Amino acid sequence: MDNALARNFRTASLLRFALPNIVMMVFLSLYTIVDGMFISRFVGTLALSAINMSYPLNSLELAVGIMLASGGSAIIARELGEGKEDAARRDFSCIIAVSLLIGLLFLILGNWFLDPILRFLGTSEAQLPYCRSYSRILLWFTPAYFLQTAFQTLFVTAGRPGLGLGLTVAGGMANIVLDWLFMGPMDMGVEGAAAATVIGYCIPAAAGVVFFFQNRRGSLYFTPFRPRGRMLLQTCGNGSSEMVTNIANAVTTLLFNLIFLEFWGEDGVAAITIVMYFQFVFTAVFFGFSMGVAPVVSYKYGAQDLPQLKKIVRSCLGFILLCSVGMYVLSRLVIGPCLTLFTDAGSAVYTITMEGFPLYAVSFLFMGVGIFASNLFTALSDGVVSAVISFARTFVFLVGMLLTLPRLWGEPGIWLAVPAAELLGLAVSVFFLAWGRKKYQY
């Protein structure tokens, strides 16, 4: 049978292959952003700040889901490149089953301990009712969220990125329409936002289950399997960098929320929430591209097609650098008009955001290389280096800057923490990219 990963890739064809995954990741980021926009306009900026208080819990779920999906994708794509199709299908089926089981575990424990979790995350008494209602609905649909996360990566591994894109767009459009319906005419408040979001999860999750049960002509489909502990450990090791990235996001979001709450109150939390929405979109492009090309890298490395591997890595770095500059420029041009989608010009939230965003936006120049480098080493099944890059960039440096710069420079130091951390992360990424050229011959 044909495998889309086996063909020779040029820069243009590589970009075309990754494009569906880029668009898919952008649509996934829009789930959160559209929720925030409608919540801010229909319920208020207090409710907007409230849902961001639960974001660390969402990041933890995403951390585990992406660890399984990206780590498993590297193993499956390598097995396909080595001609081990039956093993790839068994491992694929096992990873999906494990994702579903862990989603059920989050559903049970999350609902059982929801109030203590939200209080631990620093949720204020004013925010708690909104945050509780929103989070509980999302937790009931955690298994669908885990399946969606797995399928968005593994559709690419199966050589069907276009199908993954179509399903994600369908989920995203349903989310947008239902956000307006539930919070506008039906006046459901934050519960409506949560309901729209989980329906958006369910569309690609259910369609993925049906596709991989029925499709018997493609490279991947569900087959009977026996759990392989060694494979699952390798999956967790390969995907550990992506897990670390999202756990770090949870911790740093918690720190951001607490610091902004201390300096500016709930308006400050709303401001950093909106700024993070911009970051979601821009990092979605970097993650979408990096995860989109990762199965190609894994396949070429497994097949030992070194000329193609070298060409692919060079093309990827060129694209990342070009996008980094473009995104910084774009962010500075659109911040004002986009901000008015969430809050009125001249409001306290608007003023706080406009004062800090020019400093924060510098981080867009640096973050792309770190994201790509981490995903590259995951694709090469080097989970240790991938985890080191992610852990240094998204946790060690960022937490260090958040704890240091505000004490030195006050409010500007808060906004400069992310650019400073990303600059240090860039240095670490460049070091490992240079080191990896000799070991992996890219």
Side-chain angles (χ1 to χ4, degrees):
M1 63 186 65
D2 293 333
N3 191 315
L5 302 176
R7 69 179 188 265
N8 284 330
F9 284 89
R10 298 178 180 274
T11 301
S13 58
L14 185 68
L15 292 175
R16 284 196 299 271
F17 186 84
L19 182 61
N21 209 60
I22 295 172
V23 178
M24 180 167 61
M25 290 297 290
V26 170
F27 262 86
L28 287 172
S29 71
L30 289 176
Y31 283 1
T32 306
I33 295 170
V34 171
D35 278 354
M37 184 180 71
F38 280 106
I39 287 170
S40 185
R41 282 301 184 183
F42 284 111
V43 189
T45 54
L46 174 61
L48 176 64
S49 72
I51 65 167
N52 197 50
M53 300 304 291
S54 66
Y55 182 75
L57 177 59
N58 301 334
S59 291
L60 181 60
E61 296 170 6
L62 185 61
V64 179
I66 286 187
M67 175 188 69
L68 293 170
S70 60
S73 173
I75 292 173
I76 294 165
R78 190 183 69 241
E79 289 172 338
L80 291 173
E82 294 169 347
K84 302 175 181 177
E85 287 87 358
D86 289 340
R89 294 183 195 114
R90 288 194 298 269
D91 290 343
F92 163 77
S93 303
C94 180
I95 287 166
I96 294 299
V98 170
S99 297
L100 183 60
L101 288 174
I102 294 178
L104 288 169
L105 185 63
F106 268 92
L107 184 159
I108 295 168
L109 295 179
N111 275 294
W112 190 270
F113 297 105
L114 181 58
D115 269 24
I117 290 171
L118 295 181
R119 293 187 185 280
F120 172 77
L121 295 176
T123 309
S124 70
E125 289 300 324
Q127 295 168 325
L128 187 60
Y130 295 113
C131 196
R132 182 192 294 123
S133 300
Y134 186 81
S135 300
R136 194 173 296 283
I137 293 173
L138 264 61
L139 282 166
W140 277 107
F141 289 84
T142 307
Y145 182 60
F146 269 76
L147 288 178
Q148 177 201 240
T149 302
F151 288 140
Q152 77 185 47
T153 298
L154 293 170
F155 268 123
V156 180
T157 312
R160 300 296 298 270
L163 179 59
L165 169 62
L167 291 173
T168 304
V169 169
M173 294 305 297
N175 183 33
I176 292 170
V177 172
L178 293 175
D179 264 328
W180 170 82
L181 178 64
F182 291 162
M183 281 189 281
M186 296 182 68
D187 195 24
M188 292 172 61
V190 293
E191 291 90 346
T197 297
V198 298
I199 291 171
Y201 295 163
C202 290
I203 291 172
V209 170
V210 172
F211 175 81
F212 285 114
F213 263 119
Q214 294 185 344
N215 175 48
R216 297 286 159 171
R217 295 183 180 180
S219 56
L220 293 179
Y221 48 81
F222 292 128
T223 61
F225 67 92
R226 290 182 179 179
R228 292 200 301 129
R230 186 174 181 180
M231 182 275 295
L232 289 173
L233 286 174
Q234 289 178 337
T235 294
C236 295
N238 287 341
S240 60
S241 64
E242 285 71 24
M243 179 189 69
V244 165
T245 297
N246 285 280
I247 290 177
N249 284 342
V251 174
T252 53
T253 300
L254 172 61
L255 285 176
F256 267 121
N257 286 341
L258 295 177
I259 291 170
F260 274 78
L261 200 59
E262 177 186 351
F263 274 76
W264 292 287
E266 282 88 358
D267 287 335
V269 177
I272 191 58
T273 302
I274 296 169
V275 170
M276 286 175 141
Y277 288 160
F278 279 85
Q279 182 175 314
F280 289 164
V281 174
F282 292 146
T283 56
V285 175
F286 293 131
F287 276 114
F289 175 76
S290 300
M291 294 171 68
V293 300
V296 181
V297 171
S298 298
Y299 188 97
K300 299 302 181 184
Y301 182 66
Q304 284 296 288
D305 189 350
L306 298 182
Q308 268 279 284
L309 186 61
K310 292 177 182 177
K311 187 170 186 176
I312 287 166
V313 172
R314 285 197 301 267
S315 297
C316 290
L317 286 171
F319 175 79
I320 291 292
L321 292 173
L322 184 63
C323 270
S324 298
V325 176
M327 287 180 182
Y328 171 74
V329 173
L330 180 63
S331 71
R332 295 299 306 276
L333 292 175
V334 303
I335 178 62
C338 289
L339 188 53
T340 58
L341 296 173
F342 296 88
T343 186
D344 294 331
S347 67
V349 174
Y350 183 94
T351 302
I352 294 168
T353 307
M354 290 300 291
E355 287 177 353
F357 187 80
L359 300 176
Y360 190 99
V362 176
S363 63
F364 301 147
L365 292 169
F366 309 133
M367 63 178 56
V369 173
I371 292 171
F372 171 72
S374 178
N375 278 272
L376 173 65
F377 286 105
T378 296
L380 295 169
S381 294
D382 193 336
V384 174
V385 171
S386 181
V388 168
I389 294 172
S390 287
F391 188 69
R393 176 184 148 259
T394 61
F395 186 79
V396 175
F397 296 146
L398 186 50
V399 170
M401 294 301 103
L402 280 172
L403 295 177
T404 303
L405 296 187
R407 292 173 179 243
L408 295 176
W409 296 329
E411 293 176 3
I414 301 173
W415 294 105
L416 284 171
V418 174
E422 292 292 354
L423 182 59
L424 293 171
L426 174 63
V428 172
S429 300
V430 170
F431 170 81
F432 278 111
L433 286 170
W435 168 83
R437 287 185 65 186
K438 295 181 180 179
K439 183 173 181 178
Y440 297 107
Q441 302 179 59
Y442 55 71

